[in-house]
Amino acid sequence: MEKDFAKNRGVTLNSLLEEQCALNMRLLLAVQIRDLETQTSLRRELEENAAQIDRLLTGRM
């Protein structure tokens, strides 16, 4: 449990939101160039990012 805390200690809402913004920009580019494999991968990363944001905001991190 302590290792999980140390691992996530540096995660802030701002860093997660910045990551989300970067992923959205990459997804937009993938859509524009019609790269379906990258789109799928980025959507998965965005879902993970949203889950992290949810855990941070609800105190379950």
Side-chain angles (χ1 to χ4, degrees):
M1 177 98 160
E2 190 172 305
K3 287 183 182 180
D4 290 335
F5 177 75
K7 177 181 163 189
N8 295 323
R9 196 166 122 192
V11 175
T12 64
L13 181 58
N14 283 339
S15 67
L16 290 172
L17 292 174
E18 287 174 6
E19 180 183 355
Q20 185 180 50
C21 183
L23 288 168
N24 279 324
M25 287 188 283
R26 290 172 57 200
L27 180 58
L28 177 60
L29 179 60
V31 168
Q32 290 173 341
I33 63 172
R34 297 182 176 102
D35 184 345
L36 296 177
E37 185 178 330
T38 301
Q39 289 177 41
T40 302
S41 173
L42 289 169
R43 284 190 179 107
R44 194 173 308 117
E45 286 186 56
L46 278 164
E47 288 173 2
E48 292 171 11
N49 178 275
Q52 283 184 302
I53 290 171
D54 183 55
R55 284 193 300 270
L56 183 66
L57 293 176
T58 58
R60 290 181 285 160
M61 192 160 227

